[in-house]
Amino acid sequence: VGLARLPHQNSARRQRQGAHLTLMVAGQPGCGKSTFINTLFGTPLLAISQPPPPTSQVKLHRFDLEENGFRLRLTAIDTPGFGAAIDNRQAWLPLVDVVENSLRSHVFQAHQPDRSELLDMRIHCCLYFIVPSGNLTPLDIHTLQELSVRVNLIPVLAKCDTLSHDDMLRFKKLVRQVLRVHSIPVCGLVLDAVVLEKIAAVAPYAVMGASSVHTDQAGRPVRGRKYKWGMAEVDNCNYCDFAALKSILLTDHLLDLVEATEAHYETIRSQCLSQRWVQASKIDRNLSITNPNYESLAQKVRQGFDQHVAAEELRFKAWKNALLDKQELMNQELLATRTLLLKVQAEVEALQ
Ligand SMILES: Nc1nc2c(ncn2[C@@H]2O[C@H](COP(=O)(O)OP(=O)(O)OP(=O)(O)O)[C@@H](O)[C@H]2O)c(=O)[nH]1
Ligand SMILES: [Mg+2]
């Protein structure tokens, strides 16, 4: 009866509709985040920073990409200066805020009467770039922990061309141990065990970014970084995990990441709604637990509110006093007029 063509219908519909991917990159300044995005999509989407690195600010970039008629709406969330401050104890907070706000904003938008302008900002995957120093910082570990429970997190070893092959393998092993010891899941929102196993098997992904094309010994064009000792090829899976990561993000598991994020969103949505309507006070408590800055922020807002109320009260008092003064003046004028009137009346009576 034609049921066997259902998968074709589905794929034709997907082809028509295109896909939507929101990718977040995080890591220390200059570790190659923007270069990686450009390399991944094979086009200069993001600006590459020259030293000194730009100041810290979370930035959103939206692109419409097309390949063979298939459209991908890409949102790249760049976090240029993460961890560059002197005091980095709370440096992970803006990243967590970005992830949580993307979900909260979707809950908010989904409950508006008109959803035609709905902007889906839910982050499907966050790539956390680890600098190729051979070690993880406490900030790295804490950030990985905080992000891993909120988003599909994939740790990557940045600029792997700056490490020897042995150092790279050693560093990968160390990161794997750290992830295990601290119970940090890779793509923790994905529920499909087979997919999960496949993604986690290679993590952390040793990657490099390069936009220049060179010719290899066989005369073929290859993307890579050319050194005196030879070439570090981006797409060569014997050299780094770029191709493996690319296939997970774009070729094989894009939809798994999107679906996992949507399932996670459903949980957050129901939590948000039950908290919003039933346990409003609990939200405050949860916020203060998840966000250490919350108490000081709340105090600042309260102080601001008190100051505003005091200023308004003063303004109101001054206005009331001015009105009373004006009333007093008018009373006096009225009295004077009345006295004059009585005097004139008395004079008129005397004349009569
Ligand atoms: N050796 C090497 N250099 C890289 C790699 N990726 C990027 N770079 C260089 O590192 C510098 C910074 O790259 P960006 O991509 O701007 O780094 P970023 O992490 O986006 O930097 P911020 O936005 O400042 O945080 C540039 O000079 C790049 O050419 C890589 O894989 N290997
Ligand atoms: Mg950048």
Side-chain angles (χ1 to χ4, degrees):
V1 288
L3 282 179
R5 285 205 54 80
L6 265 179
H8 298 285
Q9 258 186 48
N10 207 8
S11 81
R13 204 166 72 180
R14 276 276 172 207
Q15 177 78 24
R16 263 198 321 275
Q17 289 175 339
H20 175 210
L21 174 70
T22 301
L23 204 57
M24 173 170 161
V25 285
Q28 291 184 22
C31 65
K33 301 180 292 293
S34 308
T35 310
F36 177 83
I37 293 283
N38 294 346
T39 314
L40 185 66
F41 293 99
T43 177
L45 300 174
L46 307 186
I48 307 300
S49 55
Q50 299 302 334
T55 46
S56 150
Q57 200 183 2
V58 174
K59 284 184 188 161
L60 264 76
H61 307 265
R62 289 205 189 86
F63 307 98
D64 266 321
L65 306 175
E66 201 175 314
E67 188 183 60
N68 298 336
F70 186 79
R71 210 161 61 90
L72 176 74
R73 271 162 295 132
L74 169 73
T75 308
I77 303 180
D78 202 359
T79 57
F82 165 62
I86 293 171
D87 181 359
N88 286 310
R89 276 174 301 176
Q90 310 292 338
W92 52 273
L93 260 175
L95 301 179
V96 167
D97 277 348
V98 173
V99 176
E100 292 200 335
N101 287 343
S102 72
L103 293 167
R104 280 202 210 106
S105 126
H106 203 78
V107 176
F108 176 76
Q109 291 182 74
H111 287 88
Q112 299 309 303
D114 179 10
R115 291 188 290 182
S116 56
E117 299 287 313
L118 190 141
L119 201 60
D120 189 350
M121 294 295 301
R122 293 172 295 179
I123 298 161
H124 304 122
C125 183
C126 172
L127 300 176
Y128 186 84
F129 285 69
I130 300 164
V131 289
S133 62
N135 228 328
L136 282 167
T137 63
L139 175 63
D140 284 326
I141 298 172
H142 195 75
T143 312
L144 284 165
Q145 278 176 322
E146 294 290 341
L147 287 173
S148 66
V149 289
R150 295 174 166 89
V151 68
N152 282 315
L153 175 73
I154 302 186
V156 299
L157 299 189
K159 296 188 179 179
C160 72
D161 56 310
T162 58
L163 294 172
S164 72
H165 195 64
D166 286 347
D167 284 347
M168 183 178 91
L169 293 181
R170 219 171 294 133
F171 197 16
K172 276 184 79 159
K173 200 170 156 197
L174 176 102
V175 174
R176 247 181 239 144
Q177 274 171 358
V178 171
L179 296 179
R180 204 175 39 246
V181 168
H182 292 275
S183 309
I184 300 169
V186 174
C187 276
L189 308 184
V190 174
L191 296 175
D192 186 326
V194 179
V195 175
L196 203 54
E197 205 175 307
K198 186 178 159 193
I199 298 176
V202 188
Y205 289 77
V207 298
M208 53 176 289
S211 45
S212 18
V213 178
H214 306 276
T215 24
D216 67 359
Q217 283 167 343
R220 284 175 309 213
V222 285
R223 286 194 304 171
R225 291 190 165 257
K226 205 167 184 177
Y227 292 101
K228 279 185 188 154
W229 49 261
M231 181 125 64
E233 293 177 25
V234 171
D235 300 284
N236 186 341
C237 54
N238 295 320
Y239 190 80
C240 70
D241 305 319
F242 178 86
L245 182 56
K246 184 179 169 183
S247 92
I248 281 168
L249 293 176
L250 303 181
T251 321
D252 296 332
H253 298 298
L254 190 152
L255 293 181
D256 290 310
L257 294 172
V258 171
E259 266 174 31
T261 306
E262 278 171 4
H264 176 63
Y265 163 76
E266 279 307 312
T267 319
I268 297 294
R269 190 189 73 90
S270 86
Q271 274 175 11
C272 267
L273 290 184
S274 59
Q275 281 182 348
R276 194 189 298 167
W277 304 115
V278 184
Q279 299 163 303
S281 62
K282 228 179 161 187
I283 296 175
D284 271 8
R285 216 178 328 132
N286 282 349
L287 269 175
S288 57
I289 291 165
T290 53
N291 188 339
N293 279 349
Y294 176 75
E295 270 311 318
S296 66
L297 272 175
Q299 198 166 348
K300 251 191 222 161
V301 171
R302 273 197 295 270
Q303 271 174 2
F305 180 74
D306 289 348
Q307 277 171 5
H308 189 68
V309 169
E312 283 301 305
E313 267 177 3
L314 273 180
R315 207 166 66 86
F316 180 71
K317 261 186 202 157
W319 177 65
K320 195 174 152 191
N321 285 342
L323 273 183
L324 286 175
D325 287 350
K326 204 170 172 186
Q327 190 185 24
E328 180 63 27
L329 201 72
M330 284 170 82
N331 281 347
Q332 280 171 9
E333 277 175 12
L334 207 64
L335 202 65
T337 315
R338 188 165 180 270
T339 318
L340 190 68
L341 193 70
L342 287 175
K343 200 175 148 197
V344 172
Q345 216 170 10
E347 276 175 17
V348 170
E349 273 170 19
L351 282 174
Q352 280 172 351

